[in-house]
Amino acid sequence: MKASSDAFVRRLLLAVACTTVLCLLVIAAFIFKEGLPFLLKVGPGNFLFSSDWRPDSGHYGILPMLVSSLYVTFGALLVGAPLGIAGAIFLSEFGPPALARVAKPAIELLAGIPSVVFGFIGVMVLAPIIRGAAGGPGLSILAASLVLGVMILPTIMSISIDALAAVPQSYREGALALGATKWQAVRMVVVKAAGSGLLAGTILGMGRAVGETMAVIMVAGNAVRMPRSVLDSGRTLTANIALEMGYATGMHRQALFATGIVLFVFIMILNGLASSALKRRAGKR
Amino acid sequence: MTPKVEVRDLRVFFGGEEALRGVSLDIAANRILGVIGPAGSAKTTFLRALDRMNELKAGCRTAGRVLVDGEDVYGPACDPVALRKRVGMVFAMPVPLPLSIYENVVYGPRLNGVRNKAELDGLVEECLRAAFLWDEVKDRLGGSGLKLSGGQQQRLCLARTLAMRPELILLDEPCSGLDPISTARIEEALSLLKERHTIVLVTNNTKQAARASDETAFFLMGELVEMGPTGRIFTNPSDKRTEDYVTGRFG
Ligand SMILES: Nc1ncnc2c1ncn2[C@@H]1O[C@H](COP(=O)(O)OP(=O)(O)OP(=O)(O)O)[C@@H](O)[C@H]1O
Ligand SMILES: [Mg+2]
């Protein structure tokens, strides 16, 4: 009885796992099937490095979108990484343990807030402030960076908290016994030991920023133009796909799939970096 | 001569449990005090109370007095960070910091603001020699301290403690899990170190206390049963429980 139900569960799990992997493979294959021929016809160089995007007259250069995506992503990191890591360090090293116990689930809950809500707050609150304080249209790369920066906080914080919690207590005690202050021990030993975990959290947060679409569409302004400053309106790769998918046909449609390939490869690289950072930490112990 | 450390009615509580139950003793300067006792007799707790490491554990409370050179360690004027710069501690489990061998040794001096490269280099060699580790690692000082063997890590921890030039060195079972050769090296190191330092050596190995210490304190269930010159404790103890323990008839 026990053994046979065990075998059944194992087979069920195997089937579920296979289905999941299969789904992902089918999606990837579909994107590549639609986008790859286009990419080869236009040439990856023209596609990636031309800044002329006029699908109706056969110009498919996604450079403005690529640049906007990079701007927004790194802007989000600039906001989210220091805040997230500092917050994680405070919670797990300096705050009362009770606070950390309450805060971690609360932070993870934050990750569940629908992105349209973040976008809404960005449009209603942030954009007018930016317009008033710095000029420009308000709906801008800066606004998108700030909104995304907050949105990736939960990812960065919760992985960072885990990474800090995994640092053996003996490292802290060792440093303190040598006459380090709490802060010195954290800065010179704990953060160092947790370094690759903090890095992995940041990279995963970055992946989230690259892929986020809804909130970005709402606050970034979406102009198809090379952004000249962070106060400019910009359109990211994901926003471009979402905005034009509805009416795109033929080559135009394929161009959007090719954009999907670019995003896909980008995310793959980021995840690869993150998991190798995490593995490095596991190997070090 | 006034003792280096005076302990008066020292009590440590974990939550409601009283782990250390009112210990009073004096530790003479430039001597090795061996602390022996069965597992759970609060040897570690006693040792950690001397440099205020217990308070890093949640729910721990300390009562009584510890005077180092007459200064009350638990008094309001005592800064635990400054105290731990004067009192070095080597833990039962060897844990180098996740840094290179070199950086492990100079960690304490760097905290004290020593920047001079030549001075740090000299200190590294001196302390690694004193811990009988120099010959084994002199060609790989830049390598990770975590990649050393257990016995080497233990000696590295001793070296990094020595580098702070502490007046008082607290050692918690520094030879547990070490082979006899490494053990002999550490004991040799200690016998040289007591010329300049005062040492408290907690050990589960009564023979080690008999070999290495000048005085011996026997702990049982959080209490100090008896303390005296090592020779007398091992040959002519005044308490029956001490006699049972040192002759291996305990329990
Ligand atoms: N963090 C803690 N929380 C609660 N109780 C503790 C804690 N640390 C130690 N104790 C208790 O204090 C008592 C003494 O422990 P201690 O570690 O000092 O013993 P020890 O003599 O060093 O033993 P061993 O020889 O096994 O190292 C034990 O009963 C232990 O359960
Ligand atoms: Mg112990």
Side-chain angles (χ1 to χ4, degrees), chain A residues 97 169-182 184-185 188-189 192-193 284-285, chain B residues 48 51 53 56-57 81 84-85 87 89 91 95-99 107-108 111 146 160-161 164:
Chain A
Q169 190 60 22
S170 51
Y171 288 179
R172 296 182 183 85
E173 292 202 338
L176 292 174
L178 290 172
T181 61
K182 188 92 198 258
Q184 285 170 330
M188 297 162 78
V189 177
K192 195 154 182 169
K284 214 163 49 186
R285 288 287 304 126
Chain B
R48 291 171 62 103
D51 69 342
M53 289 298 284
L56 301 176
K57 294 189 174 171
V81 172
R84 293 179 198 132
K85 288 189 158 108
V87 181
M89 176 149 200
F91 298 95
V95 270
L97 299 170
L99 306 169
Y107 187 85
L111 290 177
L146 296 171
R160 80 176 182 200
T161 301
M164 298 156 44

Side-chain angles (χ1 to χ4, degrees), chain A residues 245-258:
Chain A
M245 207 56 176
Y247 61 85
T249 54
M251 284 278 276
H252 184 191
R253 204 175 100 94
Q254 291 187 333
L256 296 184
F257 272 106

Side-chain angles (χ1 to χ4, degrees), chain B residues 43-44 172-173 202:
Chain B
K43 305 182 293 296
T44 298
D172 193 356
E173 295 175 31
V202 166

Side-chain angles (χ1 to χ4, degrees), chain A residues 81-101 103-104 107 157 160-161 164 172 182-183 186-187 190-191 198:
Chain A
L83 276 182
I85 291 176
I89 290 176
F90 172 77
L91 279 180
S92 49
E93 303 294 327
F94 294 96
L99 179 65
R101 268 198 302 278
K104 181 136 191 286
I107 291 163
M157 274 185 94
S160 298
I161 288 175
L164 292 167
R172 296 182 183 85
K182 188 92 198 258
W183 171 234
V186 168
R187 186 165 50 89
V190 178
V191 167
L198 303 182

